[in-house]
Amino acid sequence: MDSPPVAAVSLVLLASFLLFFSFAQSSTIGVGYISKILEIQDRERALPSVQVAAARGVLQRLLPSHSSSFEFRIVSKEQCGGESCFIIKNHPSFTRRGAPQILISGVTGVEVLAGLHWYLKYWCGSHISWDKTGGVQLNSIPKLGSLPRLQDDGILVQRPVPWNYYQNAVTSSYSFAWWDWKRWEKEIDWMALQGINLPLAFTGQEAIWQKVFQQKFNISKEDLDDFFGGPAFLAWSRMANLHRWGGPLPQSWFDQQLVLQKKILARMYELGMTPVLPAFSGNVPAALRNIFPSAKITRLGNWFSVRSDVRWCCTYLLDATDPLFIEIGRAFIEQQLTEYGSTSHIYNCDTFDENTPPVDDPEYISSLGGSIFEGMQSGDSNAVWLMQGWLFSYDPFWRPPQMKALLHSVPIGRLVVLDLFAEVKPIWNTSEQFYGVPYIWCMLHNFAGNLEMYGYLDSVASGPVEARTSENSTMVGVGMSMEGIEQNPVVYDLMSEMAFQQNKVDVKEWIDLYSARRYGRSVPTIQNAWNILYHTVYNCTDGAYDKNRDVIVAFPDVNPNLVSMLQGRHHTDVKLVSRRAALIKNTDSYEHPHLWYSTTEVVRALELFIAGGDELSGSSTYSYDLVDLTRQVLAKYANELFLKVIEAYRLKDSHGVAHQSRMFLDLVEDIDTLLACHEGFLLGPWLESAKQLAQDEEQQIQFEWNARTQITMWYDNTEVEASLLRDYGNKYWSGLLKDYYGPRAAIYFNFLTQSLENGHGFQLKAWRREWIKLTNKWQKSRKIFPVESNGNALNISRWLYHKYLGNPDTYDH
């Protein structure tokens, strides 16, 4: 057998070890329950030739220089031992010049591409991540004609469970809001290479609703303008949290998004994926009450509007037991079938996500669930309901009788639950496997697309296996349910791999090989740094949300006299409640940012990263990680600088306030300069992509306002009352720090100085008035920001390390 490249030898050894037991029957009880829908989907899947052509398209876009080196084939499950799998072998014509070298077979195009990724990862030492997180590392792949050979029999890797789910109901707004087809095509390629076969497909649904409500229920365009949210807030108008905020949507938006959705679905089907379409949850326009006055339509309560502003709060929900519910549900499913021409029969509906039923009687709850499903089934007799299980995590309403009533209201196998936060707070192990209902083990990991180095790798590497092998397991898949993507690539690399791992992964071994793959070579100092990161930032075991509340990006709206001066580790073992209610509090107290690790150790990791940098010059993956790690360290330092400002204020030390606040503001500008060194940390692309979807100047203004508002104030405010969701969507992006976060902090520090100079107390309301004015002005600004990186990450990181961290007493814990 020919030898693989030196850098890939250990990868091959690990791959062989991991795959030793890969050919095994691993079905759970839950897989048996969903066997009917799996059989239907297998029958209706695209032709093998179509899937192979789509897979080859991905290969051509990823690795055009080696497209002739691989042959792809679609095989039956019987050839895979009865399960979905991929098979990698030496091509029979391997030795013939110009012939393909590697033959990759799979049950669908997705398995074929997952096999390609596995080969590139473990035989060629390469790495694939999102462009914004460094993109691909393919330099380690040998030249054309010299690809590493496998053992004579090749390898066969089965899926332990059938489904690999992807997305959250709000990812469409936090990450996908402004995507065009070019960006979507890249994402679908990435999905397939990661083995994802069950993605949400929510784009363009407003166009479907527009046709349904206008043509079949006589709702006017004006009333629908009031119903839909703006482009950056569609996820929440879909969930009946708000209406009209950021709107109205122009007709061109409906039209272009529907065209985009058809392209998305076509590509997903071509690759053999199972896209999940939306279903009717009961959210209806206010005008429906007038057209159907006898319908059971309830006005919901205020969802985070500062003064219950009826212009965008308090939406309307149609009771699922009303006959009109089934009629609308059927119309929506049928209209999707008309527009798209096909369906994979799985529909997402989350009627009770942050909307508690009015009565806790189990019989009533059972009737609600039955009616919701009937609305789907009346439009598609093979419908399967996919439901987020988040409500069972936070809402005390859902005690065992109520939970059982909802879960058992649908025939077994026709409801699948997403255990949404399973890596931290799993539900399957406290609910008797969701009381016998099939579920998908999901990693939530990220809130609002915040940028923070964070994860629990040991849980990711073991949790899905423990759930699947537990007694009477009803697990049918794994999934990634993050609110925002394009961050922490190490976490998503490992989680994607768990879709094909039969056994728990040794993270210590895996992380050593990860750094070699990610950068294309093994650098001992970098490996040592990653071992520190594995045991610190990627070992969050405190059971807390990681909602980034760093002072820079979520500046405290607080009286300085109420700030606790406790420094050091801050563990928050929060009780799960509504995701936004728990994380955003309108309070005058200061909650320290989440800190679960020794900052001293992470500073040491940064030292090692910088020390190994000269060996990795020119690596985009290294540059991204270096910028992210430097940002992480300096952000925590900024939190402590803020406390020093407050301490000086309490001591009435005007000089100390001036000095420490100047240091803080200088640090914000310096971090902005650092972030400008990599495309993954720029504000410009977010704003420019929003404007590029606009058809005229008026739309440009509206779309840019949407984009700016989501990452700052988020929702409504008055002159002296900030949004209750302010900074929920915060980002560490160059441009945002220098143009908004820094000036906001400067206003606060100026009021501290004035307080000391004038001898009066801190003017909290005056501070609020000024920073709200700043924010509202920034939301309406048309200032243009760079879309390309500028600066050398290693040089700037070195400079910042010596400027701020050279003193060994900077961190004392």
Side-chain angles (χ1 to χ4, degrees):
M1 182 177 75
D2 295 342
S3 298
V6 174
V9 170
S10 55
L11 298 172
V12 174
L13 292 175
L14 177 65
S16 300
F17 171 76
L18 294 174
L19 299 169
F20 185 75
F21 296 107
S22 66
F23 190 75
Q25 294 295 327
S26 54
S27 293
T28 64
I29 294 173
V31 174
Y33 293 155
I34 64 168
S35 60
K36 181 180 178 181
I37 187 63
L38 293 176
E39 290 171 2
I40 292 171
Q41 290 171 344
D42 286 343
R43 288 198 307 268
E44 296 180 353
R45 222 176 293 281
L47 293 172
S49 60
V50 173
Q51 295 185 60
V52 167
R56 291 207 64 82
V58 176
L59 172 61
Q60 180 65 31
R61 288 186 290 276
L62 175 70
L63 195 60
S65 61
H66 287 62
S67 61
S68 63
S69 299
F70 297 91
E71 181 180 332
F72 295 159
R73 293 179 185 172
I74 301 297
V75 296
S76 67
K77 285 184 178 178
E78 287 68 32
Q79 292 171 271
C80 289
E83 310 288 342
S84 291
C85 83
F86 59 77
I87 304 167
I88 311 174
K89 291 183 177 182
N90 299 321
H91 196 277
S93 304
F94 192 102
T95 57
R96 196 170 73 240
R97 184 177 178 85
Q101 294 182 274
I102 303 297
L103 173 62
I104 302 178
S105 305
V107 171
T108 72
V110 171
E111 276 81 30
V112 167
L113 289 168
L116 171 67
H117 186 193
W118 199 278
Y119 175 80
L120 296 177
K121 177 187 283 191
Y122 286 120
W123 267 261
C124 301
S126 67
H127 173 76
I128 297 171
S129 66
W130 292 294
D131 284 355
K132 282 193 175 182
T133 59
V136 298
Q137 184 290 109
L138 304 175
N139 293 329
S140 60
I141 300 175
K143 64 181 181 180
L144 189 66
S146 302
L147 291 179
R149 299 191 67 177
L150 292 82
Q151 61 268 34
D152 291 341
D153 292 337
I155 62 167
L156 183 153
V157 181
Q158 289 181 332
R159 288 188 185 271
V161 280
W163 285 329
N164 187 0
Y165 169 81
Y166 184 57
Q167 295 178 41
N168 184 296
V170 300
T171 321
S172 57
S173 288
Y174 282 129
S175 294
F176 308 159
W178 312 114
W179 284 7
D180 56 13
W181 170 242
K182 181 180 178 181
R183 181 60 187 88
W184 261 111
E185 184 174 54
K186 273 184 172 289
E187 190 70 8
I188 297 170
D189 287 356
W190 181 89
M191 290 183 206
L193 289 160
Q194 308 299 331
I196 292 163
N197 60 5
L198 192 69
L200 292 185
F202 278 12
T203 302
Q205 63 179 280
E206 283 69 32
I208 305 295
W209 280 121
Q210 185 186 53
K211 294 181 180 183
V212 168
F213 281 132
Q214 283 187 337
Q215 297 172 8
K216 299 183 179 180
F217 297 96
N218 299 317
I219 304 294
S220 69
K221 178 187 181 302
E222 291 71 26
D223 289 328
L224 288 179
D225 284 346
D226 183 65
F227 179 60
F228 298 121
F233 301 96
L234 289 174
W236 300 277
S237 66
R238 293 166 182 169
M239 293 190 292
N241 299 139
L242 53 81
H243 66 99
R244 200 181 179 91
W245 179 251
L249 293 174
Q251 186 58 45
S252 60
W253 177 272
F254 293 96
D255 298 339
Q256 69 183 11
Q257 291 294 299
L258 183 57
V259 170
L260 181 59
Q261 170 74 335
K262 291 179 179 180
K263 290 182 178 179
I264 292 168
L265 290 176
R267 181 59 55 80
M268 288 179 173
Y269 287 132
E270 288 168 4
L271 287 166
M273 291 181 181
T274 300
V276 178
L277 295 174
F280 178 52
S281 64
N283 181 27
V284 294
L288 199 71
R289 296 171 303 158
N290 301 324
I291 299 171
F292 298 94
S294 62
K296 290 187 283 186
I297 299 175
T298 303
R299 190 172 194 180
L300 300 177
N302 180 33
W303 187 85
F304 293 111
S305 172
V306 290
R307 291 187 178 177
S308 300
D309 195 318
V310 296
R311 288 177 293 172
W312 34 74
C313 93
C314 313
T315 56
Y316 291 87
L317 192 71
L318 175 63
D319 193 296
T321 61
D322 191 294
L324 184 60
F325 189 101
I326 296 173
E327 186 179 346
I328 296 176
R330 178 175 60 251
F332 183 57
I333 298 292
E334 290 176 347
Q335 188 64 40
Q336 290 186 94
L337 291 173
T338 299
E339 291 288 341
Y340 306 145
S342 61
T343 175
S344 50
H345 310 294
I346 300 185
Y347 302 93
N348 171 252
C349 177
D350 294 303
T351 298
F352 308 114
D353 187 11
E354 307 201 17
N355 292 319
T356 302
V359 180
D360 68 356
D361 175 45
E363 288 190 13
Y364 172 71
I365 293 170
S366 180
S367 67
L368 287 177
S371 297
I372 291 169
F373 178 67
E374 189 176 347
M376 301 177 204
Q377 193 178 33
S378 63
D380 179 355
S381 60
N382 294 314
V384 172
W385 177 5
L386 182 71
M387 179 180 72
Q388 291 188 136
W390 182 259
L391 67 166
F392 304 130
S393 300
Y394 73 83
D395 192 341
F397 173 92
W398 296 102
R399 302 179 300 279
Q402 289 72 28
M403 189 174 174
K404 289 179 185 177
L406 179 59
L407 294 175
H408 294 166
S409 65
V410 177
I412 194 72
R414 306 298 290 274
L415 172 66
V416 178
V417 184
L418 300 175
D419 198 350
L420 210 69
F421 202 15
E423 85 277 22
V424 175
K425 297 284 186 180
I427 303 300
W428 68 266
N429 59 357
T430 60
S431 63
E432 301 173 23
Q433 306 276 349
F434 285 93
Y435 301 110
V437 170
Y439 72 92
I440 295 174
W441 192 102
C442 291
M443 177 191 77
L444 177 53
H445 183 258
N446 177 270
F447 291 94
N450 296 160
L451 299 178
E452 169 96 292
M453 292 184 77
Y454 158 82
Y456 188 6
L457 293 182
D458 284 341
S459 176
V460 170
S462 61
V465 179
E466 291 173 355
R468 175 172 51 82
T469 58
S470 61
E471 186 177 2
N472 297 321
S473 176
T474 56
M475 178 177 158
V476 296
V478 296
M480 296 182 286
S481 54
M482 66 282 120
E483 289 194 348
I485 63 168
E486 297 175 324
Q487 36 75 31
N488 289 288
V490 63
V491 177
Y492 295 88
D493 193 308
L494 179 58
M495 186 64 231
S496 295
E497 197 168 296
M498 296 311 295
F500 296 97
Q501 291 289 6
Q502 300 284 343
N503 304 307
K504 296 179 182 179
V505 172
D506 183 326
V507 181
K508 173 63 173 64
E509 290 185 26
W510 188 91
I511 206 80
D512 284 344
L513 298 174
Y514 172 82
S515 65
R517 289 190 294 103
R518 182 151 169 82
Y519 310 127
R521 58 183 301 185
S522 179
V523 180
T525 53
I526 300 295
Q527 284 190 316
N528 292 337
W530 270 106
N531 281 320
I532 293 173
L533 296 177
Y534 162 43
H535 290 104
T536 52
V537 293
Y538 291 118
N539 186 38
C540 184
T541 61
D542 62 9
Y545 290 87
D546 188 63
K547 182 72 192 70
N548 195 327
R549 307 307 292 172
D550 285 340
V551 172
I552 290 177
V553 296
F555 200 87
D557 175 24
V558 61
N559 186 314
N561 295 307
L562 297 179
V563 175
S564 166
M565 300 309 296
L566 177 66
Q567 297 188 51
R569 296 193 186 190
H570 176 63
H571 296 283
T572 311
D573 190 10
V574 298
K575 180 179 179 182
L576 286 177
V577 292
S578 167
R579 81 188 78 179
R580 278 159 282 275
L583 303 172
I584 308 296
K585 300 177 181 178
N586 189 26
T587 174
D588 289 340
S589 64
Y590 170 60
E591 183 178 353
H592 285 254
H594 184 207
L595 184 61
W596 63 96
Y597 59 84
S598 163
T599 52
T600 303
E601 289 185 62
V602 177
V603 170
R604 176 56 183 159
L606 176 58
E607 292 173 357
L608 293 170
F609 244 83
I610 293 172
D614 288 332
E615 298 185 59
L616 299 174
S617 61
S619 166
S620 179
T621 47
Y622 169 75
S623 176
Y624 175 88
D625 291 345
L626 177 63
V627 170
D628 203 21
L629 179 54
T630 309
R631 176 210 54 77
Q632 181 79 13
V633 169
L634 294 179
K636 303 311 172 188
Y637 177 48
N639 293 340
E640 299 196 7
L641 274 180
F642 171 76
L643 293 180
K644 290 180 180 180
V645 175
I646 300 303
E647 183 178 24
Y649 173 81
R650 289 184 179 179
L651 294 173
K652 303 186 186 306
D653 177 5
S654 298
H655 175 75
V657 169
H659 175 68
Q660 298 294 344
S661 61
R662 186 67 260 165
M663 284 189 65
F664 183 97
L665 295 174
D666 286 348
L667 178 58
V668 171
E669 289 210 12
D670 287 343
I671 295 176
D672 191 281
T673 300
L674 169 76
L675 297 174
C677 294
H678 197 279
E679 287 81 356
F681 300 97
L682 302 180
L683 169 64
W686 172 253
L687 300 182
E688 293 305 310
S689 61
K691 290 188 285 185
Q692 285 172 9
L693 292 184
Q695 302 294 307
D696 54 39
E697 181 72 11
E698 182 180 356
Q699 289 182 22
Q700 279 196 8
I701 293 171
Q702 179 190 6
F703 292 4
E704 185 172 0
W705 183 92
N706 269 254
R708 287 170 174 265
T709 298
Q710 190 202 90
I711 59 177
T712 53
M713 195 62 84
W714 207 108
Y715 206 14
D716 66 343
N717 62 268
T718 67
E719 290 185 354
V720 293
E721 294 172 287
S723 165
L724 301 176
L725 294 173
R726 63 188 178 275
D727 295 323
Y728 186 85
N730 68 66
K731 302 290 187 295
Y732 274 104
W733 282 344
S734 177
L736 189 56
L737 272 72
K738 189 173 183 178
D739 205 53
Y740 175 67
Y741 292 143
R744 177 173 63 177
I747 293 172
Y748 187 86
F749 295 147
N750 186 48
F751 273 97
L752 291 179
T753 300
Q754 290 180 23
S755 173
L756 293 179
E757 289 177 349
N758 299 331
H760 55 60
F762 183 79
Q763 302 297 301
L764 186 62
K765 285 189 176 181
W767 135 252
R768 284 176 178 163
R769 184 184 299 274
E770 289 305 310
W771 80 259
I772 290 172
K773 185 188 301 181
L774 168 78
T775 307
N776 293 161
K777 181 179 179 181
W778 194 87
Q779 290 168 272
K780 296 175 182 177
S781 172
R782 304 297 309 281
K783 182 177 178 179
I784 296 173
F785 294 88
V787 296
E788 295 182 356
S789 62
N790 178 44
N792 183 287
L794 181 56
N795 290 343
I796 292 176
S797 182
R798 279 178 175 150
W799 166 61
L800 292 177
Y801 175 83
H802 290 296
K803 180 176 180 178
Y804 292 104
L805 308 171
N807 182 351
D809 297 325
T810 297
Y811 287 106
D812 56 4
H813 55 277

